Amino acid sequence: MPTIKTNGINMYYEERGSGEPLLLIMGITAPGAVWNVHVADWKHHFRCIIGDNRGVGQTDKPAGAYTSEQMADDYAGLLDSLELENVNVVGCSMGSTIAQQLAIRHPEKVKSLVLMCPWARCDAYAKGLFQHIMNSKARFRPEEFSLYIQLLIFSKSSWDDPRKHEELELGRKQDAVNPHPQPLHGLEGQAAACINHNALADLEKINQPTLVIGGREDIFTPVWMAEEVANGIPNAELFLYDKLGHAFHFENTDDFNLRVRDFLSKTH
């Protein structure tokens, strides 16, 4: 699978499907493969471009703090290498901060935005939470760290559902034997980008059609963050799932996949 040189790193990416290009940017700790349950649907409608972010998966993991601006430039370089402009972009959590910066810094590259569980800036609580994620990564076994992340992102409805509960347990077991585990310094670099992201004053520059989407039970990036992003971007749409959390896109995948497709079809 291909790797390209961009912004001083070697970036791993995959492509699936054909049609209008759709760039997918995942969140902290997560490689691009986490998009698979969505790409299984979207590849029938779009040319899906899935990268591993700086600091995770099979992309380079330089030491030191990263920034959301820097990671947006990573993706701008990927799009340049593919000779693409004016692409649809879906960003999840940290990926939404990267997508915001991509639209602000490289507006000609972005046709539309779907910002999942986003934030425009961190408050003191969010900064503390990212610090605790780093502390946990440093001290926990992989499956223990996986449990902590699951507790942050999945809502009560998932923990109460025996089938979902089983899937969460399987996920922890898989994380224990991950062939490309994220090193601590990769997570620390990404966490710095999350903590220091502040695009609040620049959101008004985003004039592409934008859907902001989240879960009302999200304890990781609470509803006020999604509302602040939606209020900052001219004419942005906001949709919040009742009783779902940060991982709403896994908790109600069918609805989410269709909702995104319907939104993107309106931007053609």
Side-chain angles (χ1 to χ4, degrees), residues 72-148:
D73 291 350
D74 293 345
Y75 279 97
L78 172 60
L79 293 175
D80 283 343
S81 76
L82 297 173
E83 299 182 345
L84 289 174
E85 286 201 351
N86 207 31
V87 305
N88 301 294
V89 181
V90 181
C92 180
S93 194
M94 180 185 76
S96 82
T97 71
I98 298 168
Q100 290 165 47
Q101 296 288 10
L102 190 62
I104 291 162
R105 295 167 69 80
H106 307 277
E108 74 288 348
K109 297 191 185 308
V110 178
K111 180 177 183 181
S112 68
L113 284 172
V114 177
L115 302 176
M116 302 162 57
C117 35
W119 63 96
R121 62 183 173 95
C122 282
D123 61 356
Y125 178 85
K127 291 176 182 178
L129 195 52
F130 282 116
Q131 185 59 54
H132 189 57
I133 289 173
M134 289 187 272
N135 296 348
S136 301
K137 173 77 171 175
R139 290 163 179 79
F140 288 173
R141 295 198 302 267
E143 60 273 29
E144 295 170 336
F145 180 68
S146 180
L147 173 60
Y148 172 53

Side-chain angles (χ1 to χ4, degrees), residues 100-101 104 119-121 197-205 224-225 227-233:
Q100 290 165 47
Q101 296 288 10
I104 291 162
W119 63 96
R121 62 183 173 95
H197 174 71
N198 191 335
L200 192 58
D202 289 323
L203 292 180
E204 65 181 16
K205 298 176 184 174
W224 72 263
M225 289 180 154
E227 290 175 340
E228 188 168 75
V229 171
N231 290 335
I233 297 174

Side-chain angles (χ1 to χ4, degrees), residues 17 37 41 46 66 68 75 108 119 128 133 138 146 150-151 161 167 174-175 180 185-187 210 226 247 254 264:
V37 293
D41 176 337
F46 303 99
Y66 310 158
S68 55
Y75 279 97
E108 74 288 348
W119 63 96
I133 289 173
S146 180
Q150 288 176 344
L151 288 165
D161 180 325
E167 289 174 8
Q174 289 171 337
D175 284 343
H180 302 287
H185 72 266
L187 174 67
T210 301
D254 290 347
L264 295 177

Side-chain angles (χ1 to χ4, degrees), residues 5 72 97 103 194 203 217:
K5 191 88 174 172
T97 71
C194 292
L203 292 180
E217 303 299 315

Side-chain angles (χ1 to χ4, degrees), residues 241-260:
Y241 284 98
D242 289 331
K243 298 184 178 175
L244 300 186
H246 195 74
F248 62 85
H249 51 110
F250 295 133
E251 297 183 307
N252 193 347
T253 302
D254 290 347
D255 183 89
F256 170 74
N257 286 350
L258 181 59
R259 194 172 291 276
V260 170

